[in-house]
Amino acid sequence: MSPKSATPKNADYHHGNLRNALIEAGRSALMEVSAQDLSLRYLARMVGVSEAAPSRHFSGIDELLATIAASGYRDLAALRVAIRDSEDTALAKAYRMMRVYVEFAQRHNGLFSLMIGPRIVAHQAYPELAEESNRSFGLFSETIQALAIESGWTHSDLKLVTHAAWSMEHGLATLILANRAPRADTKVAVPKLIDFVVMTLLGAITAGPDHLQSVTEQCAAFQKSAVTRTARKRAKA
């Protein structure tokens, strides 16, 4: 993408319009280039202002990128607010909450990579980014916890349940964007994969803690048996 063709030269930016224009230019650029390739000079050329003009609003490219990432989390949170405020069941809300994360990543690949990637190392150094990120996760967490409570999980388990769901949605999104899932040698439709992964996790949550305890006991028994077999083989040797 040529930064020269994005916005006409001599655009009239007053009363904070330049700040918003730079954010929008950055979001647009991320559809074609990585965050590593963006600079204040590049974005200044996109919006048709001098190279020094962005410094009126941002201390450097890192602050601008953090602001762009914050705008992404703000958009994601807006989608999640709509889900939270819907009349859906707790299960339906949890399903939609996880799917919307993956779908957002698919629609906004470059922006999402900036939001979760290594380009911005310390989110907490940028208050707006930290606030928007925490707000989006909070909406997700509240929805997953509501389903967990409905399914019989205790409050002491809620953080584990939430992190399991988060790991599932985030891992799936990043694997899809990296073209690692589905595997190239496996014919699996992406929409079906998303549904299966999300519903498998939600199935485990709705099955409740008693089911997990049963699985845990079976795995422990298998592990104990495996250790015993290994010990016997060593003894015979």
Side-chain angles (χ1 to χ4, degrees):
M1 177 181 60
S2 171
K4 294 181 179 180
S5 60
T7 304
K9 292 288 185 179
N10 300 320
D12 186 17
Y13 294 114
H14 296 296
H15 307 297
N17 289 340
L18 176 57
R19 184 179 188 278
N20 294 333
L22 289 167
I23 294 170
E24 290 304 315
R27 289 180 58 128
S28 177
L30 286 169
M31 290 190 291
E32 298 187 27
V33 301
S34 72
Q36 305 295 336
D37 296 323
L38 290 184
S39 66
L40 290 179
R41 176 183 297 180
Y42 184 98
L43 295 176
R45 292 175 61 193
M46 281 190 67
V47 300
V49 296
S50 70
E51 294 178 7
S55 62
R56 302 171 192 164
H57 301 279
F58 301 99
S59 61
I61 187 61
D62 286 347
E63 184 181 1
L64 174 53
L65 291 177
T67 304
I68 293 171
S71 75
Y73 278 112
R74 190 177 300 111
D75 289 352
L76 178 58
L79 296 172
R80 286 179 154 172
V81 165
I83 294 171
R84 181 199 63 187
D85 294 343
S86 72
E87 298 298 325
D88 287 342
T89 64
L91 176 58
K93 288 182 180 181
Y95 169 78
R96 292 177 60 198
M97 197 69 72
M98 294 185 70
R99 273 207 65 112
V100 79
Y101 186 86
V102 181
E103 292 168 351
F104 183 90
Q106 290 177 295
R107 287 196 309 272
H108 307 284
N109 189 335
L111 176 61
F112 182 79
S113 296
L114 171 65
M115 291 161 59
I116 59 93
R119 181 62 180 83
I120 305 172
V121 178
H123 280 204
Q124 298 303 319
Y126 304 97
E128 182 184 7
L129 174 56
E131 178 182 353
E132 296 298 342
S133 174
N134 291 339
R135 179 166 176 261
S136 175
F137 183 80
L139 291 161
F140 165 77
S141 178
E142 290 170 9
T143 303
I144 297 299
Q145 289 184 14
L147 177 64
I149 292 172
E150 183 181 279
S151 303
W153 295 87
T154 65
H155 283 274
S156 62
D157 292 324
L158 294 184
K159 289 184 179 180
L160 284 173
V161 174
T162 298
H163 277 73
W166 177 45
S167 298
M168 187 71 80
E169 68 168 9
H170 184 74
L172 179 60
T174 53
L175 283 171
I176 290 174
L177 294 194
N179 293 319
R180 300 287 299 279
R183 288 176 56 88
D185 58 354
T186 305
K187 293 184 178 180
V188 176
V190 173
K192 289 186 177 181
L193 175 63
I194 296 172
D195 265 349
F196 186 82
V197 169
V198 171
M199 289 188 292
T200 297
L201 186 282
L202 295 178
I205 294 177
T206 56
D210 290 343
H211 178 70
L212 175 62
Q213 181 62 31
S214 174
V215 172
T216 300
E217 291 172 356
Q218 292 179 58
C219 291
F222 173 79
Q223 179 65 19
K224 183 178 180 180
S225 176
V227 170
T228 301
R229 289 196 302 270
T230 300
R232 288 174 178 173
K233 288 181 180 179
R234 289 177 177 174
K236 291 181 179 180

